[in-house]
Amino acid sequence: MVAIASVFADQPPALLWGLGGVLGVLTLAVAVAQALPRLKPGKDYTNLRERIRSWWVMIALLAGALLLGWVAVTLLFVVISFIALREFLSLAHIRPEDRLIVLLAYLCIPVSYSFIAINRYGMYLVFIPVYVFMFIPFAMAVIGQTRAYLATAASFHWGLVTCVYSLGYAAYLMRAPAHDLPAGPAGLVFFLLVATEANDVLQYCWGKAMGRRKIIPKVSPNKTWEGFLGGWISTAALIWFLGPVFTPLSGLGLAILAVFLPVAGFAGDVTMSAVKRDIGVKDSSALIPGHGGILDRADSLIFTAPLYFHILIFFALRDF
Amino acid sequence: MRFLRRAVIVLIARPLARVFTGADVVGREKLPLKGPAILVANHASHVDTILLLTIYPTRALDRVRPAAAADYFLKSAVMSWFSRNILAIVPVARDRAQAGEDILAPAREALAAGDIVLIFPEGTRGDGQELTRLKTGVAKLAAAFPGAPVTPVWLQGAGRVLPKGAHVPVPMNCTVLVGDPFRWGGDRMAFMEELRARLEALKALAPPQRWA
């Protein structure tokens, strides 16, 4: 009990208030999901209930890791990257000869995350985009199968940059020096996750409420201009008002984050949809009931995590 | 032994299967929990058998018995012990069919005892892409137990985790699709055609996994 109490006592108050706020929103969602069948009967709300139930699990895991510190968050993201990469490589068109390369790709996960563990940002920055980028095609060449060579090498690189490198930025935020951070490093990660997921949910709600004009019908038939713009404006407002509570950003830096993070979230969603459409699936797996696979849930985070990290570095965290 | 088998499958094989395959299941509620019942699945990898055992509800696990080739699974002493006690196979002496031996006798006995017998009617592991020719032994079993439900199962992806001839498993997502059960209707040709149609229908629902 004392140990548990001290985990909470050492946390910045803003983070605890933020987590409490998330639980409040989720409880509200449960209430709405209970009331909807009575207000609008005749529709099937199973998916909505499943979605909310899965949110409890995801939020419990993320909140637990955030409270425990950078080791827990890094390990959680190692697992997330592994499952995301497994989903990606299972659907990607690779060649039977590439099974060894698949193992090598998984091996990149512990190596990439170990640069976070020893806090060597420069190495993290170049490991996957430069060295894995060169080594995997070389290993493929050594195996000696040149049929569909370039397309397969590109698939491996695409999978590693999205599932390992980009998502890793979310974990790397935990290594930011704690001074000058209003809610500690965990507050930075917390706000990234809240802003990204709020953008997803708000775009969905605006689209449901008043969506008329399709925005990219060939890739995402359910996305509309109304959903995109409504989500953009409301998420930007959320970032502008809550940003100073959790991040050291203000003024121009905060404005840039407010404007570009919602666009990045939308871009991640649409880009991963295009990949799934090319492969011929709607969901990347059935891991998370109501949501699909990890890649389906983390698609916008893949684009927002690096952007958020680099805006923070440029405007505030110059120590990195 | 029953306890050891359950412990190995639940505590060791199940977590390993989650890591290596993700073990997505569609239609888990359609799996029979009581015997006599026949499960029929496509076959591309040794992972197929283990995957199916690990996704099975624990309370029915003791009843599930995969039919497996005696010439392969009872070859060495270690393999034989593992096959009999952990996998709990129903041996099929496929090499002795020519000699006029009733190779389905152990499977019939298992069904008579109320077991759930898993059959791979392709008779051997395929390339993981197309369903090959189905052998008719499964129809003989269904005819012998006309009351037993026959549940088609499509196993997608195991051929990528550990294809025939490979020795190192590689983590790849697998999906188990369980179809609606049907029963022996009285005609062998019609039964085999229906079985193939049901397996192909499940395959069409599976996530596409194509090699480049």
Side-chain angles (χ1 to χ4, degrees):
Chain A
M1 276 317 279
V2 178
I4 295 173
S6 76
V7 165
F8 282 96
D10 296 343
Q11 302 295 338
L15 178 64
L16 294 177
W17 279 109
L19 290 173
V22 169
L23 293 187
V25 170
L26 203 53
T27 311
L28 187 70
V30 172
V32 171
Q34 294 289 333
L36 267 180
R38 254 162 272 167
L39 295 173
K40 272 194 202 166
K43 272 169 98 183
D44 187 16
Y45 293 100
T46 329
N47 178 270
L48 181 65
R49 276 199 295 271
E50 268 185 349
R51 264 173 183 268
I52 295 173
R53 211 173 302 145
S54 298
W55 271 121
W56 284 109
V57 178
M58 289 188 278
I59 287 169
L61 283 171
L62 288 164
L66 286 178
L67 292 172
L68 286 171
W70 73 266
V71 177
V73 172
T74 306
L75 289 176
L76 180 63
F77 271 87
V78 165
V79 173
I80 291 174
S81 282
F82 171 70
I83 299 176
L85 188 62
R86 195 182 63 200
E87 283 176 359
F88 184 88
L89 293 179
S90 305
L91 294 169
H93 296 180
I94 55 168
R95 309 164 305 171
E97 299 84 359
D98 293 325
R99 295 181 72 254
L100 180 68
I101 309 294
V102 174
L103 282 181
L104 273 178
Y106 288 124
L107 194 64
C108 293
I109 299 174
V111 177
S112 182
Y113 278 91
S114 69
F115 291 122
I116 299 181
I118 59 172
N119 202 0
R120 295 292 291 270
Y121 176 59
M123 284 308 293
Y124 180 80
L125 207 58
V126 294
F127 174 64
I128 286 179
V130 178
Y131 293 97
V132 174
F133 173 76
M134 294 192 288
F135 183 72
I136 284 202
F138 168 65
M140 286 172 62
V142 169
I143 287 174
Q145 172 61 273
T146 52
R147 178 182 49 82
Y149 174 85
L150 189 55
T152 315
S155 291
F156 276 114
H157 196 57
W158 170 264
L160 281 163
V161 169
T162 53
C163 303
V164 187
Y165 181 70
S166 287
L167 287 179
Y169 274 108
Y172 211 136
L173 286 167
M174 289 299 283
R175 305 296 270 150
H179 58 85
D180 302 335
L181 294 181
L188 290 181
V189 183
F190 172 79
F191 191 62
L192 166 66
L193 298 172
V194 165
T196 304
E197 298 310 320
N199 185 46
D200 280 2
V201 173
L202 288 168
Q203 284 191 5
Y204 176 82
C205 293
W206 281 98
K208 277 273 170 204
M210 47 194 305
R212 297 273 181 284
R213 283 166 282 262
K214 303 231 174 280
I215 184 162
I216 313 181
K218 281 187 179 157
V219 179
S220 294
N222 293 327
K223 290 215 173 351
T224 58
W225 275 103
E226 291 82 358
F228 169 59
L229 293 172
W232 190 0
I233 293 165
S234 37
T235 311
L238 177 110
I239 293 173
W240 180 256
F241 289 111
L242 287 182
V245 181
F246 297 99
T247 74
L249 292 173
S250 60
L252 181 63
L254 187 60
I256 287 179
L257 184 70
V259 170
F260 287 108
L261 188 133
V263 181
F266 175 80
D269 194 337
V270 168
T271 309
M272 295 314 283
S273 292
V275 172
K276 283 182 280 181
R277 208 152 270 269
D278 178 21
I279 291 166
V281 292
K282 202 181 141 289
D283 291 338
S284 57
S285 82
L287 178 75
I288 316 172
H291 294 259
I294 282 216
L295 269 181
D296 302 312
R297 188 62 275 149
D299 50 6
S300 17
L301 190 63
I302 285 168
F303 277 48
T304 56
L307 179 80
Y308 180 77
F309 189 97
H310 295 126
I311 288 179
L312 276 169
I313 286 199
F314 191 83
F315 288 100
L317 306 172
R318 291 170 199 235
D319 289 2
F320 263 120
Chain B
M1 262 329 156
R2 198 177 263 193
F3 178 75
L4 178 71
R5 174 180 194 246
R6 220 187 281 178
V8 169
I9 291 173
V10 173
L11 300 177
I12 300 173
R14 213 175 259 179
L16 276 177
R18 295 276 325 183
V19 171
F20 276 92
T21 74
D24 276 342
V25 188
V26 181
R28 191 194 303 263
E29 69 285 352
K30 293 180 195 164
L31 288 170
L33 300 178
K34 278 189 303 196
I38 301 170
L39 295 170
V40 190
N42 60 315
H43 201 18
S45 165
H46 289 318
V47 171
D48 287 327
T49 316
I50 299 176
L51 179 62
L52 208 87
L53 287 174
T54 57
I55 58 120
Y56 229 90
T58 312
R59 64 203 144 106
L61 199 53
D62 291 345
R63 284 280 167 214
V64 185
R65 306 199 45 202
D71 57 277
Y72 186 93
F73 283 88
L74 303 181
K75 216 163 31 184
S76 69
V78 177
M79 181 87 132
S80 175
W81 181 90
F82 185 80
S83 302
R84 284 183 193 283
N85 295 302
I86 304 301
L87 298 176
I89 65 162
V90 172
V92 179
R94 57 181 175 184
D95 49 344
R96 268 181 263 156
Q98 303 299 336
E101 194 174 312
D102 180 13
I103 62 167
L104 291 174
R108 260 193 226 101
E109 276 165 37
L111 285 169
D115 285 342
I116 301 162
V117 175
L118 164 63
I119 309 269
F120 297 115
E122 290 168 279
T124 185
R125 289 167 293 159
D127 63 359
Q129 305 283 308
E130 299 303 324
L131 196 60
T132 53
R133 212 175 67 82
L134 303 182
K135 305 200 172 193
T136 54
V138 59
K140 288 179 200 157
L141 287 179
F145 293 84
V150 179
T151 307
V153 177
W154 185 266
L155 300 160
Q156 179 83 338
R160 290 190 146 207
V161 176
L162 188 69
K164 197 171 185 169
H167 299 287
V168 182
V170 169
M172 289 277 193
N173 270 23
C174 294
T175 309
V176 181
L177 298 111
V178 187
D180 291 313
F182 68 110
R183 273 165 225 274
W184 170 251
D187 180 68
R188 185 179 297 178
M189 283 290 283
F191 177 87
M192 293 309 294
E193 264 167 39
E194 173 153 27
L195 177 61
R196 174 173 274 277
R198 281 170 183 261
L199 286 171
E200 294 283 4
L202 289 173
K203 177 180 193 265
L205 297 175
Q209 292 188 324
R210 292 182 296 266
W211 296 113

